[in-house]
Amino acid sequence: MSEKLIQRLCVIGVGLIGGSLARALKKAGAVAEVVGAGRATSHLQKAKELGVIDRFETDISLAVKGCDMVVLAVPLGAMQTVFEKIAPELNDDMVITDVGSAKGSVVRAAQAAFDMLPDTLVPGHPIAGTEKSGVEASFAELYNNRRIILTPLDTSSDSAVNKVRSMWQACGAEVVETSIEHHDEVLAATSHLPHMLAYSLVDTLAKMDEKNEIFDFAAGGFRDFTRIASSDPGMWHDICLANREALVKMINKFSHDLQQLSKAIESNDSDYIKETFTRAKQARDKYCDSKNINDSLE
Ligand code: NAP
């Protein structure tokens, strides 16, 4: 039998993202054994029944023993505790990566947990997901043709980076590399800000006296714009605090532009309104063309 890319994989946090990774690697025949770890036995039992993992442990130090790849797929607020539990089991053959949506906070968590950053640590972030959570929502195709951003550290060894890259490529993903700072700034703009807007808009409407009528009359445009407000509140609480600095900068920038638009509407400034909408339409059309997106807007 030919040697697999990964002999023993430990997925800590077998939810949407960790479960989908395990499913994809199994489907690709790239892993010999998958060990799941998490807090609730019932969740891990479910993952085993679904064939996502082969066995599980609730003790993380036990779960990672003998693993050549460990993936942290837990909420950002849990990263440090998990790193602390892995620390006594660290060895040169154990590559460690994560899937956290902000990268600076993950590295700070690793720095706090380990005496020295291990050269086997390679932070990462799959640009793929849905608004659903849990292993039941996981599927093997989640990473097909999607981007994975790796943010290798100065300490990361080439062999560890290569192994993490190969793992994601086996899932059908395209792997790119960037710095932690750049990742956190770009993601604040493209992912974290839109989630804040969706949550905030739905919350504003939900607090209004006419909320029943408002939601009654809401059509496809409202549904498209607010889909991500159905994402897990706990996970997004962790993400916005983890990427606080870059996100607050983006929220302030957006608030300023929204204020300008409000003033233009108030003062009948047609030129400003048309220019803003035209620039936005051109930018979105270009984005859709480049990604082959064909959606009908209401
Ligand atoms: P999820 O479906 O809720 O899965 C999270 C998993 O972590 C659950 O299996 C949970 O199981 C486990 N967990 C939670 N706290 C834990 C702890 N303290 N110790 C051990 N296990 C713990 O969430 P997800 O959407 O997969 O997100 C996981 C990570 O992926 C997050 O860091 C997120 O930022 C990142 N991410 C998410 C998306 C997305 O679209 N969802 C996209 C890219 C990256 P128990 O409750 O049984 O412990």
Side-chain angles (χ1 to χ4, degrees):
M1 205 173 69
S2 66
E3 176 100 337
K4 305 269 187 193
L5 172 68
I6 299 169
Q7 289 313 301
R8 187 181 290 167
L9 165 73
C10 181
V11 177
I12 306 174
V14 194
L16 169 70
I17 297 296
S20 297
L21 173 64
R23 283 185 194 266
L25 290 171
K26 278 182 166 235
K27 196 172 168 192
V31 61
E33 185 188 12
V34 181
V35 184
R39 295 167 306 179
T41 307
S42 58
H43 293 160
L44 293 165
Q45 186 60 43
K46 184 79 202 171
K48 191 169 172 222
E49 281 163 23
L50 291 170
V52 176
I53 55 174
D54 300 307
R55 61 182 178 86
F56 62 83
E57 303 281 354
T58 48
D59 179 335
I60 290 170
S61 307
L62 274 182
V64 299
K65 268 192 201 305
C67 290
D68 53 332
M69 178 68 79
V70 172
V71 180
L72 280 73
V74 297
L76 286 165
M79 293 284 179
Q80 187 175 329
T81 315
V82 172
F83 280 134
E84 282 163 2
K85 289 178 181 157
I86 297 172
E89 304 301 329
L90 268 187
N91 65 69
D92 293 346
D93 298 323
M94 185 191 283
V95 173
I96 304 169
T97 188
D98 76 292
V99 297
S101 304
K103 303 283 22 116
S105 75
V106 171
V107 178
R108 287 192 293 277
Q111 262 156 347
F114 301 122
D115 291 337
M116 258 173 50
L117 285 174
D119 64 3
T120 52
L121 175 65
V122 184
H125 177 205
I127 309 301
T130 74
E131 70 282 14
K132 308 230 167 62
S133 301
V135 71
E136 288 95 336
S138 66
F139 56 102
E141 296 73 26
L142 179 62
Y143 306 112
N144 250 345
N145 298 317
R146 304 305 293 269
R147 278 200 165 163
I148 309 297
I149 303 178
L150 299 186
T151 57
L153 307 169
D154 292 344
T155 47
S156 306
S157 70
D158 289 347
S159 63
V161 175
N162 288 340
K163 185 151 175 161
V164 176
R165 186 187 299 113
S166 301
M167 174 181 81
W168 286 112
Q169 285 170 340
C171 301
E174 181 201 351
V175 179
V176 295
E177 287 182 25
T178 188
S179 70
I180 287 170
E181 296 71 27
H182 187 62
H183 170 279
D184 285 359
E185 275 175 18
V186 171
L187 268 290
T190 58
S191 169
H192 307 169
L193 176 66
H195 278 80
M196 300 306 113
L197 301 187
Y199 277 130
S200 186
L201 170 68
V202 178
D203 183 52
T204 298
L205 301 186
K207 287 188 298 204
M208 289 171 69
D209 291 342
E210 310 85 349
K211 64 171 181 281
N212 292 339
E213 226 185 333
I214 290 170
F215 288 116
D216 241 15
F217 285 126
F222 176 81
R223 200 184 56 224
D224 288 349
F225 188 83
T226 60
R227 176 181 62 80
I228 52 181
S230 293
S231 304
D232 181 57
M235 186 175 90
W236 278 95
H237 160 273
D238 285 11
I239 294 172
C240 69
L241 294 186
N243 202 17
R244 182 188 297 127
E245 216 176 292
L247 179 55
V248 168
K249 227 194 268 177
M250 277 314 302
I251 293 175
N252 289 342
K253 193 172 169 52
F254 177 77
S255 304
H256 171 266
D257 286 358
L258 191 61
Q259 271 305 320
Q260 294 300 107
L261 183 60
S262 174
K263 279 186 201 152
I265 295 169
E266 207 174 14
S267 60
N268 271 317
D269 187 344
S270 294
D271 288 348
Y272 185 95
I273 297 168
K274 278 190 199 148
E275 277 164 22
T276 304
F277 293 177
T278 304
R279 246 191 339 263
K281 177 173 164 44
Q282 281 168 350
R284 190 171 191 279
D285 288 351
K286 195 170 161 202
Y287 157 78
C288 290
D289 284 350
S290 71
K291 301 273 175 197
N292 262 333
I293 296 170
N294 180 12
D295 54 6
S296 54
L297 298 171
E298 293 181 31

